[in-house]
Amino acid sequence: MFILDEPFASGILLDTLKRNRYPVLLNDFVKTLPEYEKLTLLSEERFIDRFKTKPLIYTNSENAIKWINDNLMFSDLIERIDTFKNKGKFRDILSGMYPDFYYKEVLLEEIEQLKLKDLKFPFIIKPSVGFFSLGVHYVEDADSWKAVREKLLEETVKIKDYYPEDVLDSSGFIIEEVIDGVEYAIDGYYDSYGEPVILNVLKHYFAGKDDVSDRVYVTSVPIVREVQDKVMRFLKSLSRLTVVKDFPFHLEIRIDTDGDMIPIEMNPMRFAGWCCTDISVFGYGLNTYECFMKNIKPDWDDIEQRCGDSVYSMCVIEKGSHIDDLLLKGFDYDKLCSTFSNVLDIRKTDFMRYGVFAFIFVQVESEDSPELKNILNSDLNEFIIYE
């Protein structure tokens, strides 16, 4: 079964639902979708009854967590969601596996009172319950902490309107040591036996050490191979610490210079946000929604024979804090597309509401493609239309 909610449901997702006649909860967001009547719709009562016998749910958005918390309180699903959604609780579970990892939870009102002696520089600070890179900051030293602290308090007022508290709660934060290394994002699920399945691996590129944006992600079969074994070992170890079954997730990790894998966070009930998991359809012809619902385990040897080492990228064209909303008139999407040689799809967004201009999916020649380097380091001013 599927629960759809804001901010976005892709055409690929909707076509998947219609083709397979997957049951979908009828809610206000669904009624805004084109031809929603063609979906297999269930009322809240019927959805809850069906869940009691077939507790298999996928959500396109963490906004759906509120409905789950309000209506499926009889299920242990709520506890599992909270365990992974709350970054502090997730770190607590992993503390036995990573005993030397430094982290600290603080409330918003405690931030100004934090003593320098109680902090371990450099560190990352982010909302304990968060989404995207909203409210995430890299702090190099005591001087930068002063600037970040002021900016963080200002941001809190602004970003709290983007998503519900179940998705982004800026009242609590987690401070973590900086994990040096290469970052990856993994879409996957635990099947009905608690066995993990990897569906998608995206390598996350950054413009510099203090960059915490979601601008560029790249995938290919060689990238999957880079981390597949390490991630599977971690997921199997995690399942021994907490019972997880019939559970989709979006895992973020880093692999350091010694080859050790350290988890960053694990987002529950969904794959890459804003339906960005669809990059697997463009790259591999692999529908991650169907894989989860039908218990399909990708044959990466077969995919490699079909796709070779082709490289695909998903770029998040976010509206940075340097952009003045009062002067912003529009965005030149045609010019953005012209900077890439092979655009597979572009998804425009309500940038004033969500702080993102677009998601663009492209095929490139290699991981170090000049096209990706250019967009990674762009301040976007060349595409922005001002008053």
Side-chain angles (χ1 to χ4, degrees), residues 176-275:
E176 298 180 339
E177 68 177 80
V178 174
I179 306 170
D180 291 322
V182 182
E183 184 168 311
Y184 300 84
I186 296 99
D187 289 335
Y189 70 93
Y190 283 96
D191 66 16
S192 57
Y193 298 100
E195 289 295 317
V197 178
I198 294 174
L199 298 177
N200 204 11
V201 177
L202 298 169
K203 184 183 287 188
H204 190 177
Y205 280 84
F206 297 93
K209 66 179 181 179
D210 58 346
D211 179 16
V212 294
S213 73
D214 292 302
R215 180 66 63 84
V216 172
Y217 292 86
V218 180
T219 188
S220 66
V221 174
I223 287 175
V224 174
R225 301 293 197 199
E226 286 176 16
V227 302
Q228 191 174 23
D229 292 342
K230 287 183 173 67
V231 172
M232 285 297 289
R233 284 196 296 271
F234 166 75
L235 291 171
K236 288 180 179 180
S237 297
L238 181 63
S239 69
R240 290 192 287 269
L241 296 175
T242 177
V243 178
V244 194
K245 296 180 180 180
D246 295 326
F247 196 76
F249 61 78
H250 180 70
L251 171 68
E252 297 178 11
I253 67 167
R254 282 206 175 190
I255 295 182
D256 65 21
T257 52
D258 295 326
D260 296 325
M261 196 210 94
I262 303 174
I264 300 172
E265 61 188 54
M266 193 166 179
N267 300 287
M269 301 304 295
R270 65 168 177 88
F271 303 138
W274 283 76
C275 293

Side-chain angles (χ1 to χ4, degrees), residues 68-347:
I68 293 173
N69 288 339
D70 291 343
N71 293 277
L72 303 181
M73 65 288 293
F74 55 85
S75 168
D76 62 358
L77 180 60
I78 291 177
E79 182 180 353
R80 279 185 280 150
I81 290 173
D82 187 52
T83 296
F84 294 109
K85 180 60 182 170
N86 187 297
K87 295 174 177 61
K89 292 183 179 181
F90 184 56
R91 282 288 170 216
D92 290 343
I93 288 177
L94 298 179
S95 59
M97 296 172 63
Y98 302 91
D100 298 325
F101 188 85
Y102 166 78
Y103 69 99
K104 179 185 184 69
E105 290 188 88
V106 295
L107 296 174
L108 177 63
E109 56 266 28
E110 296 173 333
I111 288 179
E112 287 191 288
Q113 281 74 47
L114 286 173
K115 305 297 183 183
L116 293 180
K117 64 181 179 64
D118 296 326
L119 298 172
K120 181 180 177 182
F121 297 98
F123 63 80
I124 297 289
I125 184 168
K126 56 188 175 182
S128 295
V129 177
F131 182 60
F132 261 6
S133 295
L134 297 171
V136 181
H137 292 276
Y138 169 85
V139 182
E140 176 72 31
D141 50 29
D143 289 337
S144 61
W145 171 232
K146 181 179 179 181
V148 167
R149 184 175 57 194
E150 293 176 358
K151 186 176 181 180
L152 196 63
L153 296 173
E154 293 174 0
E155 277 184 348
T156 301
V157 178
K158 185 175 182 180
I159 68 175
K160 70 178 182 179
D161 294 329
Y162 286 168
Y163 299 94
E165 283 191 4
D166 303 85
V167 178
L168 175 64
D169 184 356
S170 53
S171 63
F173 291 81
I174 184 168
I175 293 172
E176 298 180 339
E177 68 177 80
V178 174
I179 306 170
D180 291 322
V182 182
E183 184 168 311
Y184 300 84
I186 296 99
D187 289 335
Y189 70 93
Y190 283 96
D191 66 16
S192 57
Y193 298 100
E195 289 295 317
V197 178
I198 294 174
L199 298 177
N200 204 11
V201 177
L202 298 169
K203 184 183 287 188
H204 190 177
Y205 280 84
F206 297 93
K209 66 179 181 179
D210 58 346
D211 179 16
V212 294
S213 73
D214 292 302
R215 180 66 63 84
V216 172
Y217 292 86
V218 180
T219 188
S220 66
V221 174
I223 287 175
V224 174
R225 301 293 197 199
E226 286 176 16
V227 302
Q228 191 174 23
D229 292 342
K230 287 183 173 67
V231 172
M232 285 297 289
R233 284 196 296 271
F234 166 75
L235 291 171
K236 288 180 179 180
S237 297
L238 181 63
S239 69
R240 290 192 287 269
L241 296 175
T242 177
V243 178
V244 194
K245 296 180 180 180
D246 295 326
F247 196 76
F249 61 78
H250 180 70
L251 171 68
E252 297 178 11
I253 67 167
R254 282 206 175 190
I255 295 182
D256 65 21
T257 52
D258 295 326
D260 296 325
M261 196 210 94
I262 303 174
I264 300 172
E265 61 188 54
M266 193 166 179
N267 300 287
M269 301 304 295
R270 65 168 177 88
F271 303 138
W274 283 76
C275 293
C276 290
T277 189
D278 293 349
I279 192 172
S280 63
V281 175
F282 300 123
Y284 310 122
L286 186 70
N287 187 307
T288 55
Y289 314 112
E290 289 182 344
C291 287
F292 173 56
M293 286 293 162
K294 297 179 179 180
N295 194 32
I296 295 172
K297 298 175 174 60
D299 184 337
W300 289 105
D301 291 333
D302 175 69
I303 293 173
E304 186 171 27
Q305 287 185 351
R306 290 189 289 104
C307 303
D309 57 359
S310 298
V311 179
Y312 301 86
S313 177
M314 185 274 296
C315 303
V316 183
I317 313 302
E318 78 286 4
K319 182 165 66 69
S321 58
H322 68 284
I323 296 172
D324 189 340
D325 287 352
L326 296 177
L327 299 178
L328 180 60
K329 182 179 180 181
F331 190 87
D332 192 336
Y333 293 99
D334 290 337
K335 187 173 183 179
L336 172 67
C337 289
S338 71
T339 64
F340 295 97
S341 56
N342 190 0
V343 175
L344 305 172
D345 190 25
I346 182 169
R347 297 170 177 176

Side-chain angles (χ1 to χ4, degrees), residues 2 24-31 36 41-44 47:
F2 284 72
V24 177
L25 175 67
L26 179 60
N27 57 24
D28 291 339
F29 175 72
V30 168
K31 293 177 183 178
Y36 79 91
L41 302 169
L42 296 182
S43 66
E44 289 190 344
F47 192 95

Side-chain angles (χ1 to χ4, degrees), residues 54-70:
K54 296 182 179 180
L56 192 66
I57 293 180
Y58 179 85
T59 66
N60 69 310
S61 165
E62 290 181 20
N63 288 28
I65 290 176
K66 184 180 188 314
W67 188 91
I68 293 173
N69 288 339
D70 291 343

